[in-house]
Structures are given as structure tokens and as C-alpha cells.
Amino acid sequence: MSTTPAKPSVLFVCVHNAGRSQMGAAFLTRLAGGRIEVRSAGSAPADQVNPAVVEAMAEVGIDLSVEVPKVLTVEGVQASDVVITMGCGDACPYFPGKRYLDWALQDPAGQGVEAVRPIRDEIERRVRALIGELGAPAPA
């Protein structure tokens, strides 16, 4: 009898869940094609996703206009195999046995779309590498 391994799950965290973590989750959702469970949250969620982030992601065919920043919960961290922090400092709860990655990326808050593009492209590069590490190769 064979058992199918559970899908790996990834949680992207930044303070406002309005920029970097939204982009990370959107790229992982698109590129993993359902092979990875994806969440994003913020320790102090904003009212809306950063409009410059929405615009930059629309340029690569991803619509974030309907996304809403979500609050970081202990349950969300516990349910994730990999927790990727993006500038949330000590606000993210720590649980032994979880894999934590800290992606030091410029904060797009208050930036125009020109400043968001290189952040977006770096997040996509890191997400593609992460998919490979998790054993769910990204489609070419």
C-alpha cells in the first residue's frame, strides 16, 4: 500500500502582508501549480495590498487586486512546513521543527512601481529556487 506524502506548505510573513509576502505567495501559487500549499500573513496587516505591488504583479500576469492582507496566527505558523519571513523581525512565533528562512528584501511600502519591479523579480527568483528545494520543480 503506498501513501502519498502530504503537500509541503509554505507561509510568507511580512509586517503588513501588503507587499513582499503577497508577491511571494502569488508566485508560489502560480509556479507550484497546486503542488505546494501556500499562505501569507502579516504581524500588523494593512488595510489593502500596496497599489504599486498590485501594478507590478499585473505586469507579469498576476492579479493581486482581490487579495486582502491577513493577520499572522500561531495556527498558521504551526500548519506550515516552511516559514519565510520578510522583515517581520521578532513578530513571528517560533516553533521547533519548522524551517525558517529570512529573505532580506527591500520594503516596497511607499515606493513606486519602478522600485517594486526589482523586488518582485528577486522574489520570483527565490520562489523558483524554493520550489526546487521542496522537490516540486517549477515548470519551465
Side-chain angles (χ1 to χ4, degrees):
M1 158 173 108
S2 68
T3 57
T4 306
K7 279 198 284 191
S9 59
V10 176
L11 170 64
F12 290 93
V13 181
C14 66
V15 175
H16 300 299
N17 190 223
R20 296 165 289 186
S21 57
Q22 290 280 352
M23 289 189 281
F27 276 124
L28 186 56
T29 297
R30 171 188 270 181
L31 296 171
R35 295 167 297 178
I36 298 172
E37 191 174 327
V38 183
R39 299 176 183 86
S40 73
S43 52
D47 295 332
Q48 65 179 22
V49 176
N50 178 332
V53 167
V54 172
E55 183 179 344
M57 293 300 284
E59 293 175 352
V60 295
I62 297 175
D63 182 9
L64 288 183
S65 66
V66 297
E67 294 298 323
V68 176
K70 294 166 277 310
V71 69
L72 177 65
T73 64
V74 168
E75 295 78 18
V77 176
Q78 287 176 317
S80 302
D81 299 311
V82 180
V83 179
I84 299 173
T85 57
M86 303 167 145
C88 71
D90 296 331
C92 189
Y94 178 82
F95 294 97
K98 302 288 175 197
R99 179 175 174 201
Y100 288 85
L101 301 172
D102 184 41
W103 289 0
L105 297 160
Q106 184 179 356
D107 188 348
Q111 306 276 353
V113 70
E114 299 79 19
V116 173
R117 286 184 188 116
I119 301 167
R120 173 200 67 201
D121 295 345
E122 177 61 15
I123 289 171
E124 180 181 11
R125 186 191 69 72
R126 292 183 189 203
V127 164
R128 286 180 180 277
L130 177 69
I131 292 169
E133 289 171 26
L134 293 175

